[in-house]
Amino acid sequence: MYATKAFSNLYVLGLLNEYKLVFDCVSKEEIFVALKAGIKGANIHFHGNNKTKEELIYAIDNDISLIIIDSEDEYYLLDKILKEKKKKTSCLLRINPDEKTDTHKFIQTSNADSKFGLNIRDENTEKIIEKIIENPNINLLGFHAHIGSKVKNLEFFKEEAKIMADFTKNIQDKFKKCFSHLNLGGGFGTRENLQDEDLDLEKFLKGLIVFMEDLFEKNKLSITNLSIEPGRSLISKAGSILYRVGSTKVTMEGYPLIFVDGGISDNIRPSLYGARYSAILANKLDNEKNQTYRVGGKLCESGDILIEKVKLAKVERDDLLLVLFAGAYTYSMSSNYNKLLKPAVVFVEDGKDYCAVKRQSLEDLIKRDLKYKKGDQ
Ligand code: PLP
């Protein structure tokens, strides 16, 4: 599966659809884009911790294959909608496995305080499962968990898998119901910069499948659909952001600052959760990297620093700075802060380029604005 929140537009979803993936969406809007990209509802799962009535109806009307119920409250809402519409749907229930990970606190999702899912230790969780199992309009196929993002110690995923297999076994025995699905979420770490070691996910996941098959056999589980839904690890290394250098400045402390024609409006990750990027000068690839710089954006926030420290060849105005491994959660988190235009997205292969998203125009900025007329208020 692919978590579309990492990076989604008609082009990339159309491309990934060629690989017969299933797509994880967390809003009506993400579902809309996926459907428009040609993905069938049968290949979309609907997640999210606060699905509105309108969103649930949209998902049901578009035959989204699985709704991942996140809370008791959401269960009641879904039940009401299904009764009103005289419809049935298949679901998974999101369980918080209550597992500590070592990733940044903003991207942890399985701590006791997490806003996502139902905690595995909460006595109420089993009561809700019972209600869902008894509901004639809901086919509960199994469980879902997601422990966080940028998790580099892969042992955490093994621990999660074990917790979720044991949990499924416990529920199976208690309610005499077999489950066919187990979704372990995404969150696999990936190389963030040139200093980072990359993870051998292919090797790990092959091992995880063997580990899981063994667990399923030992626990007498009839799970036939084991899935993961990565976003970052699929897309991050495929994308770079190309900036043009403008001013440079030396502050009283530290090394020279170079400013680029973007910043937190196209990549909020460094200031949001401390992402650390590498960069190269695309127009000076062969020059010796003998200077250390800090890279700042042009947005009016002191926190708008893209890279704290990077070694580059001597930088001059109009140089092209390529920030590497920046395909995930950059464009998808972008904004028009300071009214900066969102850049174009271009795919490149074998020397050919394909425009996937056009650069915004000034007119795009005010397209939906209504003009104030004297006397309106
Ligand atoms: N699945 C769920 C439920 C998520 O919340 C997320 C991201 O937050 C993902 C999958 C994708 O995570 P990542 O991009 O780290 O693989």
Side-chain angles (χ1 to χ4, degrees):
M1 291 180 58
Y2 172 62
T4 69
K5 71 200 80 171
F7 180 55
S8 123
N9 52 57
L10 298 184
Y11 194 98
V12 75
L13 295 185
L15 177 64
L16 290 172
N17 201 22
E18 300 266 323
Y19 294 87
K20 308 261 174 283
L21 294 180
V22 172
F23 295 82
D24 143 14
C25 296
V26 295
S27 63
K28 175 181 174 180
E29 292 81 353
E30 281 190 359
I31 295 176
F32 169 80
V33 176
L35 292 171
K36 285 286 176 191
I39 295 161
K40 299 241 168 358
N43 292 326
I44 297 175
H45 292 184
F46 187 25
H47 291 261
N49 66 300
N50 183 24
K51 304 177 192 77
T52 64
K53 184 172 182 190
E54 184 200 347
E55 287 183 307
L56 286 168
I57 291 173
Y58 185 78
I60 292 163
D61 287 347
N62 283 288
D63 298 322
I64 297 309
S65 67
L66 272 181
I67 294 175
I68 291 70
I69 301 174
D70 190 88
S71 65
E72 179 172 13
D73 190 63
E74 186 178 293
Y75 161 67
Y76 294 129
L77 179 61
L78 180 63
D79 173 47
K80 193 162 168 272
I81 296 169
L82 291 171
K83 278 187 188 135
E84 276 169 17
K85 293 186 83 68
K86 297 192 176 35
K87 283 242 188 175
K88 293 179 190 297
T89 191
S90 294
C91 289
L92 302 183
L93 183 66
R94 178 158 178 172
I95 299 296
N96 171 352
D98 205 21
E99 180 191 346
K100 279 213 163 45
T101 54
D102 59 357
T103 190
H104 190 285
K105 117 166 172 266
F106 286 4
I107 41 179
Q108 285 179 11
T109 53
S110 57
N111 48 335
D113 259 356
S114 171
K115 69 172 192 168
F116 297 106
L118 295 159
N119 195 291
I120 204 163
R121 283 192 293 129
D122 187 338
E123 287 171 9
N124 211 24
T125 298
E126 284 192 7
K127 292 185 192 142
I128 299 162
I129 293 174
E130 190 171 13
K131 281 185 195 158
I132 303 178
I133 289 176
E134 284 170 1
N135 192 313
N137 295 329
I138 296 180
N139 185 12
L140 182 66
L141 298 179
F143 302 98
H144 168 273
H146 171 74
I147 56 172
S149 205
K150 277 177 73 177
V151 180
K152 288 198 152 176
N153 180 348
L154 298 175
E155 285 306 307
F156 286 120
F157 293 102
K158 269 195 158 171
E159 197 181 324
E160 176 202 10
K162 170 100 179 58
I163 294 172
M164 291 308 294
D166 288 350
F167 175 78
T168 308
K169 158 89 176 137
N170 180 29
I171 299 297
Q172 173 176 297
D173 291 351
K174 197 160 232 160
F175 297 105
K176 307 280 171 274
K177 176 173 168 58
C178 292
F179 297 98
S180 54
H181 284 52
L182 178 60
N183 182 333
L184 296 174
F188 304 96
T190 181
R191 186 179 197 193
E192 198 165 73
N193 53 54
L194 290 168
Q195 285 73 46
D196 250 4
E197 256 185 56
D198 211 356
L199 301 170
D200 190 346
L201 283 180
E202 195 176 334
K203 185 167 163 218
F204 171 74
L205 290 170
K206 279 183 182 158
L208 187 68
I209 291 172
V210 175
F211 177 73
M212 292 305 287
E213 281 172 346
D214 196 41
L215 273 180
F216 294 163
E217 208 179 305
K218 272 194 200 126
N219 283 341
K220 297 196 172 40
L221 292 172
S222 45
I223 290 168
T224 48
N225 189 313
L226 171 67
S227 54
I228 52 166
E229 52 193 18
R232 188 187 313 277
S233 53
L234 278 186
I235 207 88
S236 182
K237 284 186 288 181
S240 306
I241 307 179
L242 188 65
Y243 299 99
R244 192 175 292 281
V245 175
S247 298
T248 53
K249 180 182 275 184
V250 183
T251 59
M252 295 301 286
E253 288 169 296
Y255 17 81
L257 254 168
I258 56 173
F259 297 122
V260 294
D261 56 350
I264 51 171
S265 56
D266 55 72
N267 188 358
I268 199 170
R269 298 186 60 249
S271 56
L272 188 63
Y273 45 78
R276 292 166 63 202
Y277 286 97
S278 294
I280 51 174
L281 283 180
N283 58 323
K284 292 181 178 169
L285 287 178
D286 296 331
N287 295 19
E288 194 194 343
K289 294 179 187 139
N290 52 9
Q291 318 238 355
T292 304
Y293 295 96
R294 194 180 331 153
V295 182
K298 68 181 263 103
L299 287 300
C300 290
E301 289 290 325
S302 289
D304 180 29
I305 297 295
L306 285 174
I307 307 179
E308 277 297 333
K309 201 174 182 181
V310 60
K311 256 195 149 174
L312 298 168
K314 184 174 167 34
V315 176
E316 291 155 302
R317 181 175 282 277
D318 287 333
D319 278 343
L320 295 172
L321 188 83
L322 191 71
V323 173
L324 306 170
F325 311 139
Y329 302 102
T330 47
Y331 203 93
S332 62
M333 287 187 172
S334 65
S335 75
N336 286 120
Y337 179 48
N338 285 174
K339 293 293 186 219
L340 256 59
L341 303 182
K342 291 192 188 183
V345 176
V346 181
F347 277 68
V348 183
E349 189 181 35
D350 294 335
K352 287 200 190 121
D353 53 275
Y354 307 87
C355 185
V357 182
K358 290 183 195 163
R359 178 184 296 140
Q360 279 186 325
S361 67
L362 287 174
E363 285 303 318
D364 286 332
L365 291 177
I366 50 167
K367 206 162 55 185
R368 310 199 63 79
D369 289 11
L370 300 178
K371 251 190 171 164
Y372 169 75
K373 285 191 227 98
K374 209 168 168 55
D376 265 359
Q377 283 170 17

